[in-house]
Amino acid sequence: MKHDEVVAALKIIADKGLAINLSKDDLQSLISYKLIEVAKGEENERSPASTLTKKGKVMLKANSKA
């Protein structure tokens, strides 16, 4: 994923609480970089319920336009 795509994905997850329109590989990348956490039991869902970690919130805030 490119940097802009990561920021866009983090914004969607922050707004909706769901990992919408992300491939399994992209979702795994965000999880491996500890930017998001997926709710227990939703790991195999198409759009799993997700929350931003502290690291994800910091990255989103740093890349948001004021």
Side-chain angles (χ1 to χ4, degrees):
M1 288 179 85
K2 294 180 183 174
H3 179 75
D4 296 337
E5 294 170 339
V6 171
V7 174
L10 291 177
K11 184 169 175 39
I12 291 170
I13 292 169
D15 291 343
K16 300 189 183 210
L18 297 172
I20 300 172
N21 296 330
L22 291 177
S23 69
K24 293 262 185 204
D25 293 335
D26 292 344
L27 190 62
Q28 288 302 322
S29 295
L30 293 175
I31 293 169
S32 69
Y33 289 124
K34 299 186 183 346
L35 296 174
I36 66 168
E37 292 177 341
V38 176
K40 297 240 186 248
E42 298 221 2
E43 293 87 357
N44 295 324
E45 298 293 321
R46 183 170 177 198
S47 296
S50 304
T51 57
L52 297 180
T53 61
K54 183 176 180 181
K55 186 177 178 181
K57 290 176 188 174
V58 169
M59 183 175 180
L60 180 62
K61 185 174 181 181
N63 289 288
S64 295
K65 295 181 175 125

